[in-house]
Amino acid sequence: MQQNNSVTEFILLGLTQDPMRQKMVFVIFSILYVGTVVGNLIIIVTIKSSRTLGSPMYFFLFYLSLADSCFSTSTAPRLIVDSLSAKKIITYNECMTQVFALHLFGSMEIFVLILMAVDRYVAICMPLRYPTIMRRQVCTILIVLAWIGSFIHSTAQIILALRLPFCGPNLIDHYCCDLQPLLKLACMDTYVINLLLVSNSGAICSSSFVILMISYIVILHSLRNHSAEGKKKALSTCTSHIIVVILFFGPCIFIYTRPPTTFPMDKMVTVFYTIGTPFLNPLIYTLRNAEVKNAMKNLWHVKITSESKR
């Protein structure tokens, strides 16, 4: 379909056109991106290195941190570099690659959050069968299916993007390439493609959010029969998950489940779930999780001890 295009590159307008604000964007998002990568990398290394974090919950948390890092990397570096550029040019192929990466890792994050909810449901509602149901082989298969599902979703998105012909304007009023801003530039009636977008991305976001909320309601309801200590530990874990779900799915649903219209707040909403949420996830999962904090302390203690012996 690319042969129908007269446009070979796009110009991103970014978050702001003001030079002073662009410098602020560079500083703020450089800090956020470095914090995201470092925070999620620490979680990944801690889970891989710790013997106490071998449960399915931390197996899934490992992949959530990996998806967070990649998801943020699909948009943040270009935003940071473009904030110092006078003309923010992105080629057609780079734009399509960004669309694919954005949806691949975004949908992977959604599927991992669902798997984490399933893990908590089985652990709290079926504790005796938990070791059998959530054994390592099953968890590995679930992660593989999540990657396959993410690839299928992102492939569907890129097929929709490649079907859009561009023959005139090439100014994207955004800081990244996604289907919603690209639909405004297409030289065709985009009504059907927008319906497909809503039925794909919108349905995934909305249905996943409903499933997650129902699962956590069932989990919290079942906690009535647990001991006070068991309730406290389960509530701490589930609260962290619920906070992450709301922070991620709220903006996602706002962007992908509506007619082809744009609002001034769209860019900031997108910033929140593509850059803000991946930055907050490590903080939420470490500050509210004693096991992760203890594993991190032990890991650094062992590292410092080994360094001092040298």
Side-chain angles (χ1 to χ4, degrees):
M1 295 300 295
Q2 189 174 351
Q3 62 186 1
N4 296 329
N5 296 337
S6 61
V7 173
T8 59
E9 63 184 26
F10 298 99
I11 298 175
L12 298 168
L13 297 183
L15 290 177
T16 178
Q17 299 296 303
D18 182 80
M20 183 58 69
R21 291 181 179 178
Q22 286 184 349
K23 293 177 182 178
M24 292 174 60
V25 166
F26 174 81
V27 173
I28 293 171
F29 287 97
S30 294
I31 294 172
L32 289 176
Y33 179 62
V34 171
T36 298
V37 174
V38 171
N40 283 293
L41 185 61
I42 289 174
I43 290 180
I44 288 171
V45 172
T46 301
I47 292 174
K48 273 296 182 183
S49 305
S50 176
R51 296 179 180 177
T52 61
L53 302 180
S55 67
M57 181 175 71
Y58 299 112
F59 177 79
F60 294 134
L61 179 57
F62 172 89
Y63 285 97
L64 179 66
S65 296
L66 179 63
D68 272 338
S69 298
C70 297
F71 188 45
S72 182
T73 300
S74 66
T75 57
R78 174 164 286 277
L79 171 62
I80 293 167
V81 172
D82 284 348
S83 64
L84 298 180
S85 304
K87 204 170 185 180
K88 307 166 181 58
I89 297 175
I90 182 170
T91 67
Y92 178 89
N93 290 335
E94 288 173 341
C95 184
M96 296 301 109
T97 301
Q98 189 173 58
V99 171
F100 183 83
L102 186 67
H103 286 273
L104 175 67
F105 298 115
S107 55
M108 183 61 185
E109 184 162 351
I110 289 174
F111 292 139
V112 173
L113 287 171
I114 292 175
L115 292 179
M116 293 177 79
V118 170
D119 173 71
R120 290 301 85 201
Y121 172 79
V122 176
I124 294 171
C125 300
M126 295 180 281
L128 297 179
R129 298 173 60 190
Y130 179 76
T132 304
I133 296 175
M134 300 303 294
R135 59 188 185 275
R136 181 51 65 97
Q137 296 92 327
V138 173
C139 294
T140 302
I141 291 172
L142 291 174
I143 284 294
V144 171
L145 291 175
W147 278 115
I148 293 173
S150 301
F151 183 80
I152 292 172
H153 164 73
S154 53
T155 300
Q157 297 298 98
I158 198 63
I159 289 173
L160 291 178
L162 290 173
R163 290 179 62 85
L164 296 174
F166 303 101
C167 52
N170 66 340
L171 291 175
I172 299 178
D173 188 14
H174 216 293
Y175 67 89
C176 67
C177 282
D178 200 1
L179 274 173
Q180 286 286 12
L182 286 174
L183 287 175
K184 294 180 64 179
L185 305 181
C187 304
M188 64 177 290
D189 183 358
T190 59
Y191 178 77
V192 174
I193 290 185
N194 187 75
L195 283 181
L196 293 174
L197 173 63
V198 171
S199 63
N200 189 343
S201 296
I204 288 177
C205 290
S206 301
S207 59
S208 299
F209 180 73
V210 171
I211 291 170
L212 287 166
M213 287 296 99
I214 291 175
S215 68
Y216 282 117
I217 289 172
V218 173
I219 290 171
L220 294 175
H221 180 73
S222 69
L223 287 176
R224 297 177 305 164
N225 303 323
H226 287 66
S227 64
E229 184 64 27
K231 286 181 182 179
K232 183 178 179 181
K233 184 177 180 180
L235 281 173
S236 176
T237 302
C238 290
T239 301
S240 299
H241 293 187
I242 291 171
I243 291 172
V244 170
V245 167
I246 292 174
L247 291 176
F248 182 81
F249 282 95
C252 181
I253 291 172
F254 176 79
I255 294 293
Y256 292 111
T257 57
R258 67 179 199 221
T261 55
T262 57
F263 300 103
M265 67 182 75
D266 282 357
K267 287 188 278 189
M268 292 311 301
V269 172
T270 305
V271 162
F272 192 79
Y273 81 88
T274 59
I275 299 175
T277 304
F279 172 77
L280 293 173
N281 279 357
L283 298 176
I284 293 171
Y285 281 108
T286 54
L287 294 178
R288 297 186 58 84
N289 193 309
E291 289 181 336
V292 175
K293 287 190 288 187
N294 290 334
M296 286 182 178
K297 290 177 183 176
N298 293 335
L299 177 64
W300 289 112
H301 176 72
V302 170
K303 186 174 181 180
I304 292 171
T305 303
S306 61
E307 288 292 333
S308 61
K309 287 182 179 179
R310 291 180 185 179

